[in-house]
């Protein structure tokens, strides 16, 4: 496991950048349903594109850094796992929707995907 000049392992750098990028992307994809619901769709799209720019400014470096040690499958599954970790609190605390048991089942399925993609050959 290699580290950057700051001594942070590549996988941790990747996970932190992907987490931050997922926060932006989750807001870009879903916050307009709460905040701009009364506006035309194209206003929501423009606002979402503006937010998504920051997601890409974090996601692209995350994948470039992560690809030093992880293959594409590992990067994708890591991103999907992080997406669920970000999405569930967003739904509960920001969108004010109830916690569902289905989030647990989905999380367990993704945990299985993480296991299979990161296990040793």
């Amino acid at each position: 496991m290699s580290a950057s000049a700051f001594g942070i392992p590549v996988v941790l750098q990747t996970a932190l950048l992907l987490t931050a990028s997922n926060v932006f992307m989750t807001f870009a994809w879903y916050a307009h349903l709460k905040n701009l619901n009364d506006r035309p769709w194209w206003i929501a799209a423009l606002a979402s594109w503006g937010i998504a720019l920051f997601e890409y400014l974090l996601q692209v470096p995350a994948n470039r850094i992560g690809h030093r040690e992880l293959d594409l499958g590992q990067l994708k599954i890591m991103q999907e796992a992080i997406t669920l970790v970000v999405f569930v609190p967003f739904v509960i605390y920001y969108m004010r929707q109830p916690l569902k048991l289905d989030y647990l089942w989905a999380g367990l399925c993704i945990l299985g995907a993480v296991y299979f993609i990161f296990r040793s050959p």
Side-chain angles (χ1 to χ4, degrees):
M1 183 182 287
S2 63
S4 74
F6 300 108
I8 301 170
V10 165
V11 174
L12 181 57
Q13 289 177 61
T14 303
L16 291 173
L17 285 168
L18 286 175
T19 300
S21 77
N22 266 280
V23 169
F24 282 105
M25 201 60 189
T26 299
F27 274 88
W29 282 16
Y30 302 108
H32 64 87
L33 297 174
K34 178 179 180 181
N35 299 326
L36 300 174
N37 204 22
D38 59 340
R39 305 285 177 121
W41 72 267
W42 59 271
I43 300 261
L46 290 174
S48 293
W49 286 344
I51 296 168
L53 170 65
F54 296 100
E55 186 269 343
Y56 278 98
L57 292 174
L58 295 167
Q59 177 267 338
V60 170
N63 284 328
R64 292 176 68 95
I65 292 167
H67 196 252
R68 294 180 200 162
E69 292 186 10
L70 304 170
D71 64 36
L72 292 179
Q74 290 171 323
L75 280 169
K76 182 60 179 170
I77 294 301
M78 177 186 280
Q79 186 270 327
E80 293 298 335
I82 290 169
T83 296
L84 189 60
V85 168
V86 169
F87 180 74
V88 171
F90 172 83
V91 167
I92 295 166
Y93 297 112
Y94 187 78
M95 297 299 285
R96 303 281 187 215
Q97 294 189 2
L99 178 64
K100 295 182 180 181
L101 194 55
D102 288 342
Y103 297 145
L104 172 65
W105 306 133
L108 290 173
C109 289
I110 289 176
L111 187 60
V114 169
Y115 168 76
F116 286 113
I117 204 74
F118 281 95
R119 71 181 171 160
S120 298

